Amino acid sequence: MTTPDFTHFSPLAPAYDDRTDSDDVPIRSARLRRWSETLSLLRGHPGFLLALAFILFVLLAAAMPTLLTRFDPYATVPLEKLRAPSLLHWFGTDELGRDLYTRVVYGAGLSVQAALLAVSIAFIGGSTLGLFSGFFGGRIDAVIMRLIDVMLALPSLLLALVIVTAIGFGTLPVAIAVGFGLLPGFARTMRAEVMRVKTLAYVEAARLGGAGWGRILVNHILPNASGAVVVLATLDFGVAILVASGLSFLGFGAAPPAAEWGTLIANGRKFLITAPWLPLLPGMFVALAVFALNHISRTLEEVSK
Amino acid sequence: MTSSSYSVTRRRLLLSASAVVALSATGLSTIISEAKAAGAPTQGGTLRIAFLRDNTTLVSIDPFQVYWLEHRVVLRNVAESLTDQNPQTGEIIPWLATSWQISEDGLTYTFNLRKDVTFSNGTPLNAEAVRIAFDSNKAFAASVPATFGRTYLAGYDHSEVVDDHTIRIRLSKQNAGFLQATSTTNLAILAPESYKRTPEERSRGAIIGTGPFVLKEYKPEIGIKLARREDYAWPSKAALNPGRAYLEAVEIQYIPEESVRSGQFLQGELELVWPRDPFSDVDIKQFQSINAQILSRSLPGPALNLYPNVGEGRILSDPLVRAALQKAIDRKTFAEGVYSADFPVVQGPYDTTTPYFKSQAAKLAYDPDGAAQLLDKAGWLRRDDGWRYKNGKRLTLVRPLQTAETAGDVLIQDQLRQAGIELKLEVLVAGEFLTFVSAARYDLHSTYMTRADPVVLQTILDPRYTNNSALSINAYPPETLKKVEAFFDAGLQTTSSEERAKAYAGLQDVLIDDNVAFPIYERLWQAAASPRVRDFQWTSEGFALFNDIWLDGTA
Amino acid sequence: MKTYIISRITQALLVLLGAYTITYVILYLLPSDALSLMLTASGVDADTLSAAQLAEARHHYGLDRGVVDQYLHLLGNLLRGDFGTSLSTGSSVTTLLADRLPQTLMLAGCAITLSVTAGVGFAYTATWLRWRPLRLALRRLPALGLSVPVFWTGLLLIQIFSFTLGWFPSMGNKGFASLVLPAVTLSIPSAAIYAQVLMRSFDDVWGESYIATARAKGLSRAQIQWRHVLRNAALPILTLIGLQIGNTVSGAVLVETVFTRVGVGRLAQESVLRQDIPVVLAVVTISAAAFVTINLIVDLLYPLLDPRIARAAKVT
Amino acid sequence: MTGTSQEPIIDLTDLSVRYHSGNQIVDAVKQVSLTIAPGEVVAIVGESGSGKSTLANALIGLLSDNAEVRTGTIQVGGEDMTHASEGQWRTLRGRVVGLVPQDPMVSLNPTMRVGRQIGEAVERARGPRGRSLDADVLELLEQVGIDQPVLRARQYPHELSGGMRQRVLIAIAIAGQPELIVADEPTSALDATVQRRILDHLDVLVKGRGISMLIITHDLGVAADRADRVLVMQAGRIVEQGPPASILRAPAEPYTRALIAAAPAFRAPLSQIGAKPVTATLEILRFEAVSKVFALPGEASWFGRGPKPLFQALDQVSFSVHTGQTLAIVGESGSGKTTSLRIALGLDKPTSGRIIFEGRDITGLGWNEFRPLRRRIQLIQQNPFASLDPRYTVFESIVEPLQSFGKYTAAELQARARQLVDQVRLPRLALNRLPRELSGGQRQRVAIARALALGPELLFLDEPVSALDVSIQAQILDLLGDLQRDLGMSYVLVSHDLAVVSAIAHQIVVLRGGRVVEHGAAGQVFGNPQAAYTRELLEAIPGRVA
């Protein structure tokens, strides 16, 4: 006898008024609805767009450096050495006369590659461990958590040094070493998220609806738990760049003449007094890249709330 | 950021590149003329020196074992040797031994010792002490065959104490370099008490010498402290100050961080900055902003050479490629680009201050077109990617580097790139570096030693004297090896200068003609001294006489 | 409470053992042959020795034992406080560490205290300020602190405060002044992390109902921030400090290299280059032990600060 | 500062408040006028979103930053506070106006002792008290009826029960001897019996000191029982006000009439409840002497050998559910009603006793053996806001049980979904909506549709409407009644709210401390309750007195 009440007003959920009943209602999947919404929200953040543009620039530099500079990163011109930044050489030249801006652009490829590899190692390894310990709990959880504590106990940079010395210099070993350091972060985040989602009512409802744990894991727990992990991934991408540059600063980077950002800073530090732009500009570039990534991940986090 | 422009009254660096007659090694050290005119030296003060870093592979300060240049500078003023070497002429002059006689067959050396010399623990320096020193060194060299001092002692059999101040040294086989060896820090004489201690203890500083300074403290990788010896009165002839040192103490620090080291010096925290690599013109300009003095000394011994691996199957086994490689290196641009405009261009396998040096400048001219023709003739044809290939294989030469590459390494890499040769710089950790080199997996490798006698090259390039090190075995095609060994023996088995001059001249010609040594740059050791430092004097092997140095309070 | 402490201690020891084992495995199974390494480190050229000499040297360094009982042998020594002898300097690792550990402990200690005070102070002011633009700017600043490479900040600070202004020495271990710049450099990343986490936790606490109760009592914003918000919001910092130990040691390696301070960090880095295995193993074990102890202390401290844990709720 | 006796404590004229959140503008309060005389008790009744909390906050100056007072004036204790500064408001709070906040479980600082939180209010209102502060605090604790005040003062909030925490909050409110107390939903988070005792105590305190009080509530019964004057608010406006008796007997406004009709307590005189014919039908589910004991996480004895402290959740509970009928399990928090629900659903295993479903013993069945029964037993959870996966559309949530049990083509699923949506009276367009775009009532309808997907015979309802507004509650209860009639389903309703139970229950079981204190037909239990506890429960229903 009572008609459904749609005039009901709740400040949170926008009221809608669908009176029409029709058989042929097209049923669209939820996924595209969610993507279109989040993108529209992101457009509202100017800072986010600026950060995104800078990161796209870095990724372009990593993928196709030739587009961004016409200098050859390896051609030495000793007579042109240690020139201050000018219109010709935006970042000036290094101790062998090579264009520093070009070396930073070409360095992007190595640094981004190392960071990307490191984050994917940490993401895959960490998330699986976190999933197992969060999902099964009990003894498995205890064992995995102690393993994570062990990895946290080991100083990441020192361990990275040891790993790189064990498997040799170059971008891949650096990536493995850095990935090993980031893994605990992903494991702890995924574990916390899985444990949170596992106890929610809609998981119990699905369970009582006859769904097996496998189906619940794939359809409910993982999608809802992975939000936080994706945000962490963007954040840790920046951290990976920093740690990788730390390693190459200590001389564990790629073989010369190629140079990661950390190597550029390391080589430049000899000229801190005489040619300060040599160590300081690459450092600023790295800081901006990591700051942009940091900003992107924070905005993603705020939007997904 | 020092902004002073390049000072117009540029201080002339005494780096004459003139060809030098074999024996008279013209002094290339800079003599600070003004120092003498500034009146009598003032007493006291501490000389603070900053070196690059400590030797981390062999942590030792035991004179016999040490090859590390920075340590030998210190030891030169703590432990003294029988003889000294005139830095300008290379001639052996008296020190602890006032005079000596060498037998005709060159197997017996008799030294007459000074009578007034005592060790810092008070015991007298007499023939018995010298015998104990030589015999202990001989025993140690037998137990640790690879130790650096062993080649200096080559041929030593035993010593006889003739009387309290005369000692006769017997050699089992001829060693022309032995007299020069007695002037080096490696054969310095320690007190008998030091030889009772274990080698490790001596390495960590348990050394008692007769020098003007006493070793107060040695903290590996941190620094060294020396204190003046009050009753010192028996310097070598090369020294200006006959008696007690003017300085009260010398403090040595290791500062690997270059900007920090230069910063400390510019702020007056240090009197002497003495890194291992020469200064670039940027550094020199910066130092001259506080009118610092730039002190340079070309170090006797081999120049910074690359030695090839001509083992079978290696690319450099082909003489044409080696010849092309020699022409593809632009040594003038290297000297100007990496260091400074008036940096000497290397002229041969030896540095110019090495006795019996013979210039090969003519054969080392930069000739990229010549190199290109030779490579084409050898079948290495250039492709559009800039590299040269021969039946599908790229012309790649591997050069191992320990821990880190320098700007010079990368410059050579790029010069070879322009000739189409890929120089792969393999940066390795200490452990891997040694296994890599001993397995001869390199194409080009470099090492050097400092000693003011050409025989030093034997410890690098003569398989019979390097315990068959991979470098010496693989450096020559068979026919060149025979010629090289002949010249080395000729140079070793005679004590007459003319014979040695002819032998080593022939040696230097063969090394360059057969392209088994590729000189890169002259090994110049440079230091920057604050204006207050007076009477800084280089010894023949590039060390410093601390007891001459004094600090002018006024400057 | 007691069983809780016991179980935490056993877990801590387990973690320490795990850390030691992983480092041992990586270090001792390095591809390059340990013996040739050790020989060259003590000035002997491995390939010049005869087979007999090699065997004798292998025994001397205890390399002829199987990997496992070598591990147990070393562990046995470790428990007796003997870290073995350093390969390159020949002196015992314990003395080597003894004269370098104080430098690093002082540096790490100052850096941690600095970062905690800066982190909490920053979050406190950033959440308390009313003026919106400044509030927004302060919110983004920690992210910048996190993005700047440690060694780069070090170089920058040397350039400004040491060479241009000449306030502080740019290197060395002498006295307190030489500690200022390195400690500041090392503290920046941790302070940034603390600031970021605490700002979020301060905001959360301001949103709690008991803050409305406090305002209803008529307390001023300052009183509420001090008496109610600070205590509850600052709780997460304890666990954070525990986690930051690893980063502090890593940071020390870089900072000591840039500031030429002779500490454990630099020693570890050079020992890795020299493959001086016992020293690296000792340094990693000590930093793992520091991590484990500090986390244990944090776990025991937590109930004192958060009564909800200490006094298990009785069912009334 | 306190006004003369006859001047009104609160004098609002034509007050409008607007919220700015992002680009959305929300007018929460529209032209409201209100006066409260000294000593008078006024109650404001309204559903969530009616603006009643905004009004309360406006009176004490606790409006959030993004709120804007657009029109009207606020006079508190004779002072015009419309655009008062934070400083001016501070002098008022505690001394003139006291606040009793809503949820006692989170309204006390968890890391500060209770005594100190009260002491803070005392010192704030009456200046530094020095040593006599403790005495003031103990006195206040006694006044609000807390036992062992010395012990309680040193305890932390988490060590006190919900009721005691509410009393502490009252002590804080009256610490400054205010002239007006604003009580925002004072007891809605507590059990009925506890609620009644606290409100009685509050009345005594307020009347004794001549303080005026403003009660904010969504429960018409509470308003009617406690207030001299009742105001009904809807969508930001006061639609009606007057003495409770006239409001209840002769409501002028249609919205007030709808509110009264929807509130189960007033709908039908209790004695006629349960007039549903109790035809003897088959028995679908039976509990036989089911007991359940939990080991407490508390401190085992030192060496871990001694017996761990145990908690008896259920003690020999027996009841039966008849097909097509509703059995209600009633009890307060900690009575064991939820435990019995979990045991029936196979989520927990009983320590002893048997559960029979359609004649078959299903006690202790493993997950897989129980799975086929999932098609025939389903659950409707309490909180509609958490029972639906935020990433699933309504369609995907509803058809999930079907997908778990069998293979269906997309067309079959869509057809079934449309059928189910119609059954729960939701528009078909809702199928594409995400949960966050629906109201509480609509989400509960989706949950019901999901439960019906497999065509179950037995439906467990865990406090199905307690999270919803009164008017929506009525619609959901009606829907459940219709579904039971049409599909012949049997229900087991678990609830603490007797008013809700009376709407749809045939049989009632009353639980207390894990034991069945009463079991019988609804009419008989409501008509003449045998157990004293049942009587106490019935009397605690707010609004019965009228």
Side-chain angles (χ1 to χ4, degrees), chain B residues 1 56-57 59 144 146 204 220-222 253-257 259-260 263-264 267 403 429-431 434-435 438 467, chain C residues 36-37 40-41 43 45 47-48 88-89 100 158-159 162-163 166 170-171 257-258 260 262 266 270 272-275:
Chain B
M1 274 58 90
T56 49
T57 352
V59 182
V144 183
R204 282 202 298 284
E221 287 171 56
I222 297 174
Q253 291 175 60
Y254 297 112
I255 310 179
E257 196 57 46
S259 58
V260 172
Q264 292 281 79
Q267 281 182 333
T403 322
V429 173
L434 296 166
T435 39
S438 53
N467 315 326
Chain C
S36 70
L37 240 151
T40 26
D45 208 344
D47 56 25
T48 60
S88 50
T89 57
R100 284 165 180 257
I158 289 178
Q159 177 63 19
S162 182
F163 295 147
S170 60
M171 53 138 319
T257 312
V258 170
T260 333
V262 179
R266 210 168 119 219
E270 276 154 13
V272 169
L273 285 181
R274 302 198 295 261
Q275 300 203 336

Side-chain angles (χ1 to χ4, degrees), chain B residues 124-374:
Chain B
L125 176 116
N126 51 29
E128 179 54 19
V130 172
R131 185 190 63 73
I132 293 171
F134 275 87
D135 287 350
S136 315
N137 287 342
K138 179 184 176 192
F140 180 75
S143 70
V144 183
T147 187
F148 182 61
R150 185 160 165 270
T151 48
Y152 287 76
L153 214 54
Y156 171 76
D157 189 59
H158 68 281
S159 316
E160 291 147 8
V161 174
V162 174
D163 62 37
D164 224 5
H165 290 92
T166 320
I167 184 161
R168 182 168 296 120
I169 292 177
R170 299 273 186 220
L171 298 187
S172 55
K173 61 183 167 61
Q174 278 235 337
N175 173 1
F178 184 72
L179 184 62
Q180 191 273 344
T182 59
S183 75
T184 66
T185 56
N186 291 80
L187 294 187
I189 312 295
L190 294 181
E193 188 195 330
S194 299
Y195 293 107
K196 294 199 185 72
R197 310 288 284 273
T198 66
E200 279 75 26
E201 280 166 325
R202 282 204 300 276
S203 288
R204 282 202 298 284
I207 51 172
I208 299 163
T210 57
F213 286 86
V214 176
L215 176 70
K216 268 279 168 272
E217 183 190 77
Y218 168 52
K219 276 195 176 161
E221 287 171 56
I222 297 174
I224 299 175
K225 288 196 170 65
L226 303 181
R228 169 172 55 194
R229 182 164 166 199
E230 297 309 329
D231 56 356
Y232 180 76
W234 44 82
S236 91
K237 286 287 173 288
L240 301 171
N241 167 14
R244 189 181 67 145
Y246 301 114
L247 297 167
E248 272 160 45
V250 175
E251 261 178 36
I252 285 161
Q253 291 175 60
Y254 297 112
I255 310 179
E257 196 57 46
E258 187 163 334
S259 58
V260 172
R261 188 171 58 240
S262 313
Q264 292 281 79
F265 178 67
L266 293 169
Q267 281 182 333
E269 299 285 324
L270 297 167
E271 278 72 40
L272 207 60
V273 157
W274 200 340
R276 179 58 76 86
D277 297 329
F279 294 128
S280 66
D281 48 11
V282 175
D283 298 331
I284 290 173
K285 189 170 66 181
Q286 166 195 330
F287 291 141
Q288 280 170 343
S289 69
I290 59 162
N291 337 316
Q293 309 155 65
I294 306 299
L295 318 166
S296 299
R297 165 76 173 171
S298 168
L299 292 174
L304 195 292
N305 304 322
L306 287 177
Y307 304 104
N309 177 352
V310 297
E312 44 89 28
R314 307 301 302 196
I315 296 180
L316 290 181
S317 54
D318 174 351
L320 284 175
V321 176
R322 292 207 304 277
L325 184 61
Q326 194 76 273
K327 291 182 183 301
I329 297 170
D330 179 355
R331 294 167 179 81
K332 188 168 186 329
T333 314
F334 187 97
E336 275 167 13
V338 177
Y339 297 117
S340 51
D342 37 29
F343 193 86
V345 181
V346 68
Q347 299 170 49
Y350 278 111
D351 271 359
T352 48
T353 52
T354 320
Y356 313 120
F357 164 78
K358 179 185 181 200
S359 170
Q360 311 285 331
K363 304 173 193 162
L364 295 177
Y366 178 52
D367 173 12
D369 307 334
Q373 283 154 17
L374 283 168

Side-chain angles (χ1 to χ4, degrees), chain D residues 446-476:
Chain D
V446 172
I448 295 170
R450 175 173 62 189
L452 299 179
L454 296 164
E457 279 98 40
L458 175 60
L459 213 54
F460 283 87
L461 311 169
D462 181 2
E463 303 264 12
V465 290
S466 63
L468 304 176
D469 280 320
V470 176
S471 54
I472 308 296
Q473 282 185 6
Q475 287 158 22
I476 299 293

Side-chain angles (χ1 to χ4, degrees), chain A residues 152-168:
Chain A
L152 279 172
L154 298 170
S156 52
L157 187 66
L158 218 51
L159 199 66
L161 294 184
V162 170
I163 294 174
V164 165
T165 335
I167 46 180

Side-chain angles (χ1 to χ4, degrees), chain B residues 80-84 92-100 111-113 125 130 134 167 169 178 181-184 187-189:
Chain B
E80 298 184 316
S81 310
L82 295 180
T83 63
D84 194 4
I92 304 302
I93 53 178
W95 190 355
L96 291 182
T98 51
S99 61
W100 52 86
F111 293 92
N112 309 315
L113 305 174
L125 176 116
V130 172
F134 275 87
I167 184 161
I169 292 177
F178 184 72
T182 59
S183 75
T184 66
L187 294 187
I189 312 295

Side-chain angles (χ1 to χ4, degrees), chain D residues 234-413:
Chain D
Q234 186 204 8
R237 289 193 194 313
I238 294 185
V239 290
E240 188 167 358
Q241 59 177 299
S246 70
I247 294 280
L248 285 180
R249 268 201 304 286
E253 287 294 320
Y255 179 72
T256 322
R257 269 198 299 283
L259 261 187
I260 294 168
F266 302 107
R267 218 142 56 126
L270 285 176
S271 55
Q272 290 129 15
I273 290 171
K276 290 191 178 62
V278 181
T279 55
T281 59
L282 272 173
E283 189 186 75
I284 185 168
L285 176 76
R286 192 171 67 247
F287 265 46
E288 280 175 5
V290 170
S291 299
K292 177 69 181 175
V293 174
F294 286 107
L296 267 183
E299 202 35 50
S301 70
W302 166 249
F303 297 105
R305 273 199 306 284
K308 271 193 172 254
L310 300 177
F311 172 62
Q312 179 89 33
L314 290 180
D315 185 1
Q316 310 287 337
V317 168
S318 304
F319 55 77
S320 58
V321 182
H322 296 277
T323 46
Q325 290 186 355
T326 305
L327 166 76
I329 303 178
V330 174
E332 298 195 317
S333 55
S335 60
K337 56 184 188 302
T338 315
T339 317
S340 20
L341 180 77
R342 289 184 64 84
I343 290 175
L345 284 163
L347 295 173
D348 265 336
K349 300 240 173 329
T351 320
S352 63
R354 293 187 332 134
I355 297 110
I356 315 294
F357 176 68
E358 286 175 346
R360 179 164 164 252
D361 182 345
I362 61 165
T363 329
L365 281 183
W367 185 262
N368 297 333
E369 296 117 356
F370 204 105
R371 189 160 180 275
L373 295 179
R374 292 283 167 235
R375 303 176 71 97
R376 303 166 62 219
I377 304 176
Q378 274 300 317
L379 167 72
I380 308 286
Q381 291 157 321
Q382 176 179 4
N383 181 354
F385 291 94
S387 62
L388 298 174
D389 185 331
R391 307 170 66 84
Y392 272 37
T393 61
V394 168
F395 167 74
E396 287 167 338
S397 292
I398 289 180
V399 295
E400 187 178 20
L402 294 169
Q403 292 168 321
S404 304
F405 268 97
K407 283 280 165 287
Y408 295 90
T409 65
E412 283 164 343
L413 289 177

